[in-house]
């Protein structure tokens, strides 16, 4: 393309004035690692070779299809699942009636982690953050009266991916729909779990075998089904920059392609059915550019490493979801605006399907009312804005094209760094992506808490009125009891010899490396094995993975940039140290099967910078285990981070366990996604402090330290007596 530009005299004078007066702003680097300046001109298109290609042409920067939305709009999806299969089924049917075109299933954390609902480790998790699925019969109830040969189904599942996908296949089979007619996507993106979301079961290497077996099975038996959805969504939600989200996601994808090739598959057998999943946050133009850059990067790396014959193997197709991390508890109706902005960025960037979050999801699971607004947001974009009338509407924008080029260049550098490590599996084992994401996440939080990054209604323009909204309430105990009864019936009516034989063959294949694990899981689930039984059988061979917890240091306070605001915290900590002769000690606990640890990691990092002794706990602890850890480390306070709605079950259990062990002098605080209507319950249970979404870390630190000082004065003698008896 021509780089020659002609200006009128007035334009030239204006440009010269800009260059003289605004030079100090040139080269400002955003937190996403992008160089941003206040004015862009045609000169900023000098490195935008991608503009030479039309939509539908490799490297697909401008879109995967020549017609894009003018031929068919993006698919409207609603990610949903809660409580029982029956309730989720009713929600699905209502959404489909309201204009939704595809189903996206959220499973509860017990299911994600491969536990049946009757397992003692999941007492607070069953049915809370998704639907409970223990066997094929649950899956059949989930899709009752929903024709699986006509409906595209996306399932966010990674840890227990084998029994869940097998259950879906058998549910279709028993509905009269053969596997070759099933359409949809299974996430099956396990590398991301080791970085951010943590709903893994097995270590990385056997997990990669499972991924490749699923790719192989679907390539042979399920031509309409996407065998993997390579996800950057949870990376951005955990705090990753846009460059990190791009690079780590695409590097994951390249690793999966390599694993499938190592299993003997030709790249063109499966690559056209790979799909991606990105988060869309509030950096409007950069998010649009990110999707364009992702398509270009994927085509380039696939051609460079694998040289496929089918041009569709170079094509990056993606689902997007608006950000959950951008939603706020404060002024929650502002979230409708945020979601609309993010949805526009996704569609202008050329997503193939989209989920829009509900405005109340910073507080609880969406209600029917909030889900309808989220769904209508997409319908309005499709029918009332003109977005579907034009292909790649922001093409040629000086700013967007420059951002696209920057993202391509910066992500390329990071992908190459990962390749130099030996690929993403090696990088994950070394903890590189996890550590780098946590650094950015901690810095972002410091910028928000210090007011350098404005969040309307949270750290600026706060409202004096508290909007009261209805939230969805799940009776965890009732759901679990119902699931346990169903499990008993299934186990009493099945052929247990057939189940034992199927599980034995599954274990033999895990040991030998021969056979396809999804094929064998289908045999087991057809015989009415449970999700937990299949997961346990494989755990005997592969073991259960235990992640390591690291705390990044000197990131929060360096980014905060306001020592005057931090001084009260330092003073309070010094006061405690003077009175107690030791530093305050905080144990950060993650109870139940909730692996979302961004909040806990940020608190750990910031409090450590302030002067606390920090013990960062292992994931997936029971209240009993957390109490033991706190007591054995002589902590003054246990902080519980909750994002999966298990707080009303698990936190009271923790407090009661501390009392039973004579350690009621240890304070318990909690934070995360906790509805205000639950505060009284938790305070009555003995919680000292509750920090909801949007709480500044500095406020949490100061309030916690004051509480620890008062508690130390009040319980000094009893604490010393407990520690003395422990020493004896």
């Amino acid at each position: 393309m021509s780089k020659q530009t002609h200006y009128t005299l007035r334009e030239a004078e204006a440009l010269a004035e800009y260059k003289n007066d605004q030079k100090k702003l040139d080269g400002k680097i955003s937190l996403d690692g992008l160089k941003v300046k206040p004015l862009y001109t045609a000169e900023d298109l000098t490195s935008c070779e991608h503009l030479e290609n039309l939509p539908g042409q490799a490297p697909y920067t401008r879109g995967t299809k020549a017609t894009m939305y003018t031929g068919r709009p993006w698919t409207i999806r609603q990610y949903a699942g809660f409580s029982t299969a029956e309730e989720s089924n009713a929600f699905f049917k209502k959404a489909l009636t309201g204009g939704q075109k595809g189903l996206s299933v959220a499973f509860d954390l017990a299911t994600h982690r491969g536990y049946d609902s009757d397992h003692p480790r999941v007492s607070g998790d069953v049915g809370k953050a998704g639907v409970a699925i223990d066997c094929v019969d649950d899956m059949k109830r989930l899709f009752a009266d929903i024709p699986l040969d006509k409906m595209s189904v996306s399932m966010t599942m990674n840890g227990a991916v084998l029994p869940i996908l097998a259950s879906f296949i058998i549910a279709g089979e028993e509905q009269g729909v053969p596997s070759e007619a099933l359409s949809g996507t299974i996430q099956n993106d396990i590398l991301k779990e080791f970085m951010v979301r943590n709903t893994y079961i097995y270590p990385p290497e056997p997990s990669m075998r499972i991924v490749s077996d699923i790719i192989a099975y679907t390539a042979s038996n399920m031509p309409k089904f996407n065998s993997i959805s390579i996800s950057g969504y949870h990376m951005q939600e955990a705090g990753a920059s846009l460059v990190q989200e791009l690079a780590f996601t695409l590097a994951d994808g390249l690793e999966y392609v390599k694993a499938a090739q190592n299993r003997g598959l030709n790249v063109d057998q499966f690559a056209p059915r790979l799909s991606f999943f990105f988060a869309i946050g509030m950096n409007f133009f950069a998010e649009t550019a990110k999707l364009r850059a992702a398509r270009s990067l994927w085509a380039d790396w696939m051609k460079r490493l694998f040289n496929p014959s089918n041009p569709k193997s170079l094509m990056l197709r993606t689902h997007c979801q608006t950000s959950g991390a951008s939603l706020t508890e404060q002024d929650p109706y502002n979230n409708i605006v945020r979601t609309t902005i993010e949805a526009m960025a996704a569609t202008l960037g050329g997503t193939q399907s989209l989920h829009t979050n509900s405005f109340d999801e910073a507080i609880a699971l969406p209600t029917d009312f909030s889900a309808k607004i989220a769904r209508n947001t997409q319908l309005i974009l499709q029918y009332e804005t003109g977005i579907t009338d034009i292909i790649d509407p922001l093409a040629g924008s000086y700013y967007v094209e420059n951002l696209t080029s920057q993202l391509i260049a910066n992500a390329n550098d990071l992908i190459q760094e990962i390749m130099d490590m030996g690929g993403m599996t090696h990088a994950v084992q070394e903890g590189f992506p996890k550590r780098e994401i946590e650094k950015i996440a901690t810095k972002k939080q410091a910028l928000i808490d210090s007011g350098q990054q404005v969040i309307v209604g949270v750290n600026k323009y706060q409202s004096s009125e508290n909007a009261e909204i209805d939230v969805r309430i799940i009776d965890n105990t009732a759901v679990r009891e119902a699931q346990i009864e169903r499990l008993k019936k299934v186990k009493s009516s099945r052929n247990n010899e057939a189940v034992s034989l199927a599980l034995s063959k599954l274990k033999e294949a895990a040991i030998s490396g021969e056979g396809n694990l999804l094929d064998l899981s289908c045999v087991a689930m057809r015989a009415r094995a449970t999700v937990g039984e299949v997961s346990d059988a494989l755990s005997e061979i592969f073991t259960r993975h235990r992640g390591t917890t690291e705390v990044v240091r000197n990131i929060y306070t360096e980014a905060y940039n306001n020592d005057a605001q931090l001084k009260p915290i330092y003073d309070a900590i010094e006061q405690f140290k003077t009175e107690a002769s030791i530093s305050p000690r905080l144990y950060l606990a993650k109870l139940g099967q909730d692996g979302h640890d961004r909040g806990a990691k940020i608190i750990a990092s910031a409090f450590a910078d302030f002067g606390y002794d920090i013990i960062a706990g292992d994931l997936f602890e029971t209240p009993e285990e957390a109490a033991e850890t706190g007591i054995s480390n002589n902590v003054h306070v246990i902080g519980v981070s909750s994002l999966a709605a298990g707080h009303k079950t698990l936190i009271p259990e923790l407090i009661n366990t501390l009392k039973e062990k004579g350690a009621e002098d240890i304070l318990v605080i909690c934070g995360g996604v906790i509805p205000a209507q639950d505060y009284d319950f938790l305070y009555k249970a003995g919680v000292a402090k509750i920090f909801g979404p949007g709480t500044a870390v500095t406020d949490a630190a100061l309030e916690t330290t004051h509480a620890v000082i008062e508690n130390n004065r009040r319980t000094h003698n009893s604490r010393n007596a407990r520690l003395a008896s422990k020493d004896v």
Side-chain angles (χ1 to χ4, degrees):
M1 62 184 293
S2 173
K3 305 296 190 301
Q4 194 172 19
T5 305
H6 300 283
Y7 297 106
T8 66
L9 179 61
R10 180 173 293 182
E11 287 170 338
E13 289 174 348
L15 184 60
E17 183 180 350
Y18 155 72
K19 287 181 176 178
N20 288 330
D21 295 345
Q22 300 294 325
K23 193 174 282 187
K24 61 184 178 180
L25 293 176
D26 284 356
K28 179 181 176 183
I29 305 297
S30 73
L31 190 60
D32 286 309
L34 303 174
K35 185 177 180 180
V36 179
K37 55 185 183 175
L39 178 66
Y40 287 80
T41 69
E43 293 177 5
D44 295 295
L45 299 182
T46 55
S47 60
C48 299
E49 290 81 4
H50 57 262
L51 276 175
E52 297 173 7
N53 298 103
L54 293 172
Q57 294 179 348
Y60 305 106
T61 314
R62 300 192 57 194
T64 56
K65 292 185 177 181
T67 56
M68 286 302 290
Y69 303 148
T70 64
R72 190 180 81 176
W74 65 90
T75 300
I76 298 173
R77 292 188 181 275
Q78 204 75 10
Y79 179 59
F82 48 85
S83 185
T84 62
E86 289 86 350
E87 288 199 44
S88 296
N89 175 266
F91 185 91
F92 286 158
K93 288 175 180 175
K94 186 176 292 186
L96 293 172
T97 302
Q100 186 174 313
K101 302 299 183 184
L103 299 178
S104 295
V105 183
F107 299 96
D108 72 0
L109 290 166
T111 306
H112 273 289
R113 295 270 294 144
Y115 292 114
D116 287 335
S117 297
D118 58 359
H119 197 285
R121 298 194 75 88
V122 299
S123 60
D125 297 300
V126 177
K128 291 297 282 188
V131 61
I133 299 292
D134 291 318
C135 62
V136 168
D137 293 341
D138 288 336
M139 192 71 77
K140 289 174 69 174
R141 283 191 289 270
L142 181 64
F143 295 111
D145 302 317
I146 296 174
L148 293 179
D149 56 343
K150 294 181 175 63
M151 183 56 56
S152 172
V153 177
S154 174
M155 292 178 284
T156 302
M157 177 54 63
N158 302 285
V161 62
L162 287 172
I164 287 298
L165 182 52
S167 293
F168 177 70
I169 292 168
I170 305 308
E173 182 182 290
E174 296 184 5
Q175 196 187 85
V177 181
S179 60
E180 57 266 26
L182 295 172
S183 64
T185 305
I186 188 79
Q187 192 164 97
N188 192 29
D189 177 12
I190 200 62
L191 287 173
K192 167 260 302 176
E193 299 297 326
F194 296 109
M195 296 182 225
V196 289
R197 191 162 170 259
N198 300 308
T199 57
Y200 46 69
I201 300 176
Y202 319 109
E205 288 190 4
S207 295
M208 287 297 290
R209 179 192 167 182
I210 291 170
V211 170
S212 58
D213 275 10
I214 289 172
I215 292 173
Y217 182 95
T218 53
S220 298
N221 300 286
M222 305 174 73
K224 296 182 178 180
F225 201 82
N226 299 319
S227 58
I228 191 167
S229 174
I230 305 149
S231 175
Y233 182 86
H234 302 95
M235 297 180 200
Q236 188 183 136
E237 291 292 279
S241 70
L242 299 192
V243 171
Q244 288 176 332
E245 182 188 6
L246 266 178
F248 294 155
T249 304
L250 298 183
D252 280 351
L254 296 171
E255 192 81 346
Y256 295 134
V257 174
K258 184 172 69 175
Q261 272 199 331
N262 291 340
R263 295 290 287 177
L265 289 176
N266 180 283
V267 65
D268 290 320
Q269 284 182 266
F270 62 88
R273 299 305 305 172
L274 300 179
S275 68
F276 287 79
F277 176 27
F278 287 105
I280 304 295
M282 287 295 289
N283 193 341
F284 181 82
F285 293 104
E287 290 288 5
T288 295
K290 181 184 74 180
L291 297 186
R292 304 171 89 247
R295 291 191 288 269
S296 180
L297 284 160
W298 181 249
D300 178 59
W301 278 96
M302 283 293 287
K303 188 172 183 178
R304 192 189 314 180
L305 296 182
F306 305 107
N307 196 28
S309 300
N310 186 349
K312 289 186 177 180
S313 295
L314 304 177
M315 188 185 292
L316 181 146
R317 297 168 300 109
T318 189
H319 169 72
C320 289
Q321 181 174 340
T322 59
S323 175
S326 69
L327 304 180
T328 66
E329 178 186 40
Q330 298 84 352
D331 278 356
Y333 292 112
N334 288 347
N335 295 332
I336 299 173
V337 180
R338 293 186 176 103
T339 293
T340 303
I341 291 167
E342 291 165 350
M344 286 181 66
T347 57
L348 293 175
T351 188
Q352 275 63 64
S353 71
L354 179 64
H355 164 84
T356 36
N357 285 333
S358 302
F359 71 84
D360 51 359
E361 288 189 54
I363 306 164
L365 291 169
T367 62
D368 290 348
F369 171 72
S370 65
K372 180 182 178 182
I373 293 173
R375 191 165 56 249
N376 284 349
T377 300
Q378 295 197 54
L379 291 171
I380 290 167
L381 288 177
Q382 284 193 358
Y383 288 99
E384 298 185 28
T385 63
I387 287 176
T388 59
D389 296 338
I390 191 167
I391 304 160
D392 194 18
L394 292 183
S397 159
Y398 301 149
Y399 181 39
V400 170
E401 299 298 358
N402 183 270
L403 286 175
T404 301
S405 293
Q406 285 192 64
L407 285 163
I408 290 171
N410 294 354
N412 255 327
D413 290 343
L414 188 48
I415 294 170
Q416 188 59 59
E417 185 177 355
I418 292 164
M419 293 302 163
D420 292 343
M421 293 180 187
M424 203 55 166
T425 300
H426 292 290
V428 164
Q429 289 170 332
E430 293 175 15
F432 171 73
K434 188 178 186 73
R435 187 165 53 249
E436 294 304 303
I437 290 171
E438 287 169 5
K439 289 177 183 177
I440 295 293
T442 303
K443 186 175 182 180
K444 281 183 180 178
Q445 190 62 47
L447 295 177
I448 293 169
D449 291 347
S450 62
Q452 296 174 73
Q453 181 177 337
V454 173
I455 308 295
V456 174
V458 176
N459 60 3
K460 199 169 185 179
Y461 308 113
Q462 296 97 330
S463 173
S464 59
E465 300 176 2
N466 293 321
E468 291 190 11
I469 61 174
D470 292 329
V471 298
R472 187 180 294 277
I473 298 172
I474 303 295
D475 186 343
N476 164 244
T477 302
V479 175
R480 186 166 186 251
E481 288 174 352
Q483 286 298 114
I484 290 172
E485 284 304 309
R486 291 188 179 115
L487 274 168
K488 289 178 180 176
K489 290 180 181 178
V490 167
K491 290 181 179 180
S492 65
S493 61
R494 69 188 185 184
N495 183 335
N496 285 309
E497 287 186 10
V499 172
S500 296
L501 179 61
L503 295 176
S504 295
K505 289 186 175 180
L506 187 63
K507 287 191 282 188
E508 288 171 9
I511 294 169
S512 68
E514 301 295 326
N516 187 289
L517 296 176
L518 177 55
D519 191 18
L520 292 165
S521 296
C522 286
V523 175
M525 300 308 289
R526 188 180 288 110
R528 288 324 190 250
T530 67
V531 169
E533 288 171 333
V534 168
S535 301
D536 286 346
L538 291 171
S539 295
E540 289 181 32
I541 312 305
F542 295 150
T543 73
R544 270 191 175 263
H545 179 71
R546 291 178 64 87
T548 56
T549 303
E550 298 179 10
V551 177
V552 299
R553 296 295 302 268
N554 303 319
I555 301 290
Y556 186 91
T557 48
E558 285 182 8
Y560 197 85
N561 197 28
N562 192 331
D563 291 340
Q565 285 182 294
L566 298 180
K567 188 175 184 300
I569 301 171
Y570 292 133
D571 290 346
I573 291 173
E574 281 302 314
Q575 181 181 345
F576 177 85
K577 290 166 73 173
T578 300
E579 294 182 14
S581 301
I582 56 173
S583 297
R585 182 168 292 180
L586 169 66
Y587 170 53
L588 264 299
K590 287 293 296 181
L591 303 181
Q593 301 306 306
D594 174 23
H596 296 84
D597 60 354
R598 173 185 181 176
K601 290 291 186 65
I602 290 172
I603 291 291
S605 297
F607 275 50
D609 285 358
F610 298 150
Y612 271 73
D613 286 341
I614 295 294
I615 296 94
D618 292 334
L619 292 170
F620 315 125
E621 285 193 316
T622 65
E624 171 86 15
E625 290 165 344
E628 288 286 357
T629 304
I631 293 168
S632 64
N633 284 281
N634 300 329
V635 302
H636 301 95
V637 57
I638 297 176
V640 180
S641 173
S642 175
L643 274 82
H647 49 271
K648 290 180 72 174
T649 300
L650 298 170
I651 294 175
E653 286 183 22
L654 170 63
I655 293 170
N656 290 334
T657 303
L658 289 171
K659 289 178 181 177
E660 291 169 4
K661 295 180 179 296
E664 59 267 30
D665 56 293
I666 296 177
L667 285 182
V668 174
I669 63 173
C670 61
V673 181
I674 301 175
Q677 66 192 44
D678 292 348
Y679 283 17
D680 284 345
F681 173 87
L682 292 172
Y683 282 133
K684 288 176 182 177
V687 171
K689 294 284 181 181
I690 302 171
F691 304 109
T695 302
V697 174
T698 47
D699 292 342
L702 190 59
E703 287 189 42
T704 297
T705 306
H706 285 155
V708 170
I709 290 170
E710 292 302 318
N711 189 59
N712 183 64
R713 293 170 180 169
R714 186 172 58 251
T715 64
H716 179 74
N717 292 334
S718 62
R719 178 179 176 84
N720 286 346
R722 174 170 63 80
L723 295 179
S725 65
K726 179 185 172 188
D727 291 340
V728 171

